[in-house]
């Protein structure tokens, strides 16, 4: 469950970046001055559409890693009744995801413009409809809740904490009460800082916590862990109060090209796959891909070491491509 965004990517020129005061390599939320950017991008440049948004990207990667059967993952989120919403549905279908969107007509479908110049890309996200998800209008409906009950593993990016805390809590409590796996991502430093209260309401239900080094540092600071050591942060996050005592929490912290740190009953480190700098195209989506790879093995009840191996493989594939895109089939075993 998360924020479904349609990624609209195009190779643009410097004039376009300047017109909308964009840095060549950046990630921002759209402001009023970016209103026309999305339409102009589609009109002036050759665009590619991809189903995006962090959670949906991860589910898409998990499906790609698993290959068969199709539709192992179900996704909930909110879109608008518009052309972009239709494209999102079509792209989810192509990726073999079971997407059940809450459709409303007050806000347009959320989009993320990827403005590419050379090997840089400037990302401008406009949440719009994604921000309108409602528990009572969608999650609580019998046919949707049945899909939740059917699932074994749940994954929600921290970004969704800004949208519908009550939806997250309903799913998290269901997982905890039924001894199923609930996974959450810290997603961004601003989530750890400004949505700390929401985050900590969900934390007791979290079986697997994902984050990167900057998010981990922000989380540690906000939680007053009094340490900047990533292994210590993982240990302290793992020890936070937990509802379901039948499962130990697993904390998974990535550090870009540096080793991944995992704490369950002890701290373990896993080196990432090496990549030649000239093969590195774009690191956006690497974190989403890492989670997708991890989930693809987790749902098959594989050991932790195999989950991490799949996570590193998926991230390594994604950073060789623009955006969160991938070849037809994975080469992983």
């Amino acid at each position: 469950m998360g924020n479904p965004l349609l990624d609209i990517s195009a190779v643009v020129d410097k004039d376009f970046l300047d017109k909308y005061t964009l840095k060549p390599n950046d990630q921002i939320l759209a402001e009023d001055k970016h209103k026309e950017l999305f339409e102009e991008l589609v009109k002036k440049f050759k665009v590619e559409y991809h189903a995006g948004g962090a959670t949906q990207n991860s589910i898409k990667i998990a499906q790609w890693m698993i290959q068969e059967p199709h539709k192992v993952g179900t996704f909930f989120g909110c879109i608008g009744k518009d052309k972009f919403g239709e494209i999102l549905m079509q792209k989810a279908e192509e990726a073999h995801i079971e997407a059940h969107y809450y459709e409303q007509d007050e806000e347009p479908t959320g989009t993320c413009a990827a403005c590419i110049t050379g090997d840089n890309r400037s990302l401008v996200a406009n949440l719009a409809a994604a921000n309108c998800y409602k528990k009572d209008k969608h999650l609580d409906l019998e046919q949707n809740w049945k899909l939740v009950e059917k699932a074994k593993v749940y994954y929600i990016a921290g970004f969704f904490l800004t949208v519908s805390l009550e939806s997250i809590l309903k799913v998290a409590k269901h997982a905890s009460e039924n001894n199923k796996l609930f996974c959450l991502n810290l997603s961004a430093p601003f989530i750890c800082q400004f949505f700390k209260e929401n985050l900590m309401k969900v934390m007791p239900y979290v079986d697997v916590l994902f984050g990167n080094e900057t998010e981990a540092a922000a989380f540690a600071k906000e939680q007053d862990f009094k340490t900047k050591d990533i292994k210590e942060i993982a240990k302290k996050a793992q020890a936070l109060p937990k509802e379901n005592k039948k499962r130990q929490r697993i904390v998974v912290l990535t550090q870009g090209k540096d080793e991944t740190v995992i704490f369950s009953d002890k701290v373990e480190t896993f080196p990432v796959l090496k990549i030649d700098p000239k093969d590195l195209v774009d690191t956006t989506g690497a974190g989403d891909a890492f989670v997708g790879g991890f989930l693809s093995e987790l749902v098959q009840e594989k050991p932790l070491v195999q989950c991490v191996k799949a996570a590193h493989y998926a991230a390594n594939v994604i950073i060789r491509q623009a955006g969160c895109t991938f070849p037809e089939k994975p080469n992983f075993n």
Side-chain angles (χ1 to χ4, degrees):
M1 187 161 58
N3 298 333
L5 303 175
L6 185 72
D7 289 345
I8 309 168
S9 56
V11 175
V12 301
D13 48 37
K14 189 177 177 303
D15 291 346
F16 186 80
L17 293 185
D18 292 345
K19 179 177 178 180
Y20 293 104
T21 57
L22 301 177
K23 292 176 190 163
N25 213 22
D26 205 5
Q27 276 174 290
I28 61 165
L29 284 176
E31 297 167 37
D32 284 349
K33 65 181 178 186
H34 302 115
K35 281 266 194 316
E36 275 79 52
L37 179 151
F38 294 86
E39 282 169 27
E40 188 178 337
L41 193 68
V42 174
K43 275 198 188 116
K44 263 179 90 166
F45 303 97
K46 186 176 182 297
V47 299
E48 275 190 24
Y49 294 102
H50 300 285
T55 308
Q56 194 165 245
N57 280 344
S58 293
I59 301 305
K60 192 165 69 169
I61 297 280
Q63 177 65 63
W64 172 70
M65 288 287 286
I66 290 167
Q67 289 285 306
E68 302 278 340
H70 288 163
K71 300 197 171 174
V72 294
T74 301
F75 178 81
F76 289 176
C78 183
I79 61 173
K81 294 179 179 172
D82 49 28
K83 179 172 162 270
F84 284 170
E86 282 168 25
I87 295 172
L88 259 189
M89 286 186 202
Q90 184 199 330
K91 292 289 179 187
E93 186 70 30
E94 285 168 14
H96 308 301
I97 298 171
E98 183 90 59
H100 292 260
Y101 297 118
Y102 166 46
E103 296 173 64
Q104 50 72 60
D105 46 20
E106 283 171 35
E107 285 282 342
T109 297
T111 46
C112 180
C115 312
I116 300 162
T117 51
D119 56 5
N120 288 322
R121 69 207 297 266
S122 197
L123 302 176
V124 185
N126 178 26
L127 292 185
N131 218 9
C132 302
Y133 190 83
K134 300 277 185 292
K135 173 178 167 288
D136 56 338
K137 296 273 175 65
H138 193 263
L139 184 67
D140 292 344
L141 303 185
E142 191 185 353
Q143 71 269 30
N144 292 332
W145 187 249
K146 274 190 172 143
L147 293 166
V148 175
E149 290 178 325
K150 205 174 104 180
K152 291 196 294 188
V153 176
Y154 305 89
Y155 173 67
I156 299 176
F159 289 125
F160 202 58
L161 287 163
T162 74
V163 176
S164 182
L165 174 66
E166 60 275 19
S167 297
I168 300 176
L169 283 172
K170 184 173 183 184
V171 172
K173 285 174 180 172
H174 168 81
S176 182
E177 285 157 12
N178 294 278
N179 196 29
K180 298 179 186 178
L181 279 160
F182 181 79
C183 314
L184 185 79
N185 203 317
L186 293 174
S187 289
F190 83 85
I191 298 290
C192 305
Q193 292 158 343
F194 307 119
F195 293 88
K196 163 165 77 173
E197 209 174 293
N198 287 6
L199 176 61
M200 295 321 285
K201 280 181 183 160
V202 177
M203 196 58 73
Y205 306 100
V206 177
D207 295 301
V208 185
L209 180 68
F210 294 101
N212 67 22
E213 72 280 30
T214 50
E215 294 148 14
F219 183 67
K221 190 172 173 227
E222 291 299 326
Q223 297 303 316
D224 203 21
F225 282 174
K226 294 187 169 56
T227 180
K228 290 181 178 177
D229 180 294
I230 194 143
K231 292 177 183 171
E232 275 300 302
I233 295 170
K235 185 180 180 179
K236 289 188 178 230
Q238 196 275 338
L240 289 167
K242 190 170 186 301
E243 280 291 320
N244 178 10
K245 306 284 191 276
K246 292 178 191 155
R247 292 181 187 276
Q248 275 203 306
R249 180 179 295 128
I250 301 167
V251 178
V252 184
L253 301 176
T254 61
Q255 308 183 82
K257 65 182 185 308
D258 297 324
E259 61 190 17
T260 295
V261 174
I262 298 193
F263 200 100
S264 50
D265 50 356
K266 62 180 189 296
V267 72
E268 294 181 78
T269 58
F270 300 86
V272 304
L273 296 168
K274 292 270 182 286
I275 183 168
D276 189 317
K278 72 173 193 305
D279 293 330
L280 199 156
V281 175
D282 174 16
T283 57
T284 306
D288 300 339
F290 177 95
V291 171
F294 195 99
L295 293 175
S296 72
E297 298 293 308
L298 189 69
V299 75
Q300 298 176 74
E301 295 170 6
K302 297 282 174 65
L304 195 55
V305 64
Q306 186 70 3
C307 296
V308 181
K309 196 178 161 193
H312 284 161
Y313 169 78
N316 184 271
V317 169
I318 292 303
I319 61 179
R320 296 167 188 269
Q321 322 249 350
C324 195
T325 59
F326 38 80
E328 193 189 341
K329 286 203 166 137
N331 180 19
F332 176 79
N333 50 34

